[in-house]
Amino acid sequence: MRVACLSGTDLRTAERVRAHAHVLAAAGHQVSLFGVQAPGAEPEEDDGDVLIVRVPLASWAWRDRGPAAIWRVARWYGRFAPLAEAAVRRGPPEVIHAFGLDVLEPALAAARRCGARVVLDDPGASRAGELLRRVRRE
């Protein structure tokens, strides 16, 4: 199965994300990991059985205040769309694995276009769910 993993980081220090990608590859899947192109990072890297692709993104600066800030936050998620677009251009994946809520919206949009399934992996989201369950019990 072709799996495209998306992460909003440059992947140089994302050990958990890279480990998940290698587990998928060890299970026989063709895995490509897409992250952000940071200064000094190679645009492509062969990490054994996982291909790492870094995509340049537009720079981001927080300048807005008041109501304009709300729109700025909403646009934050769209900023990661080039990661998903690069994944689809490389050959439509059957699964898009979104590592974080910041890349989920672009992953969902790309999946709709190419018919892929989406997996969300966000440890923060699972902790929020656990906290909500605890609050409901008390």
Side-chain angles (χ1 to χ4, degrees), residues 13-100:
T13 59
E15 289 89 12
R16 186 181 69 80
V17 173
R18 290 173 83 137
H20 279 250
H22 284 287
V23 167
L24 289 167
H29 303 292
Q30 179 186 343
V31 182
S32 298
L33 186 50
F34 295 84
V36 178
Q37 174 72 48
E42 292 295 321
E44 282 198 25
E45 177 184 342
D46 185 3
D47 193 20
D49 49 0
V50 173
L51 174 66
I52 296 175
V53 178
R54 293 182 181 91
V55 179
L57 298 182
S59 64
W60 186 264
W62 187 270
R63 293 186 190 105
D64 299 325
R65 299 206 184 272
I70 295 168
W71 293 112
R72 186 90 168 152
V73 170
R75 290 191 316 265
W76 167 261
Y77 296 101
R79 127 179 230 266
F80 293 103
L83 297 177
E85 292 164 9
V88 172
R89 273 195 314 271
R90 289 264 176 161
E94 296 167 87
V95 173
I96 299 177
H97 193 142
F99 282 96

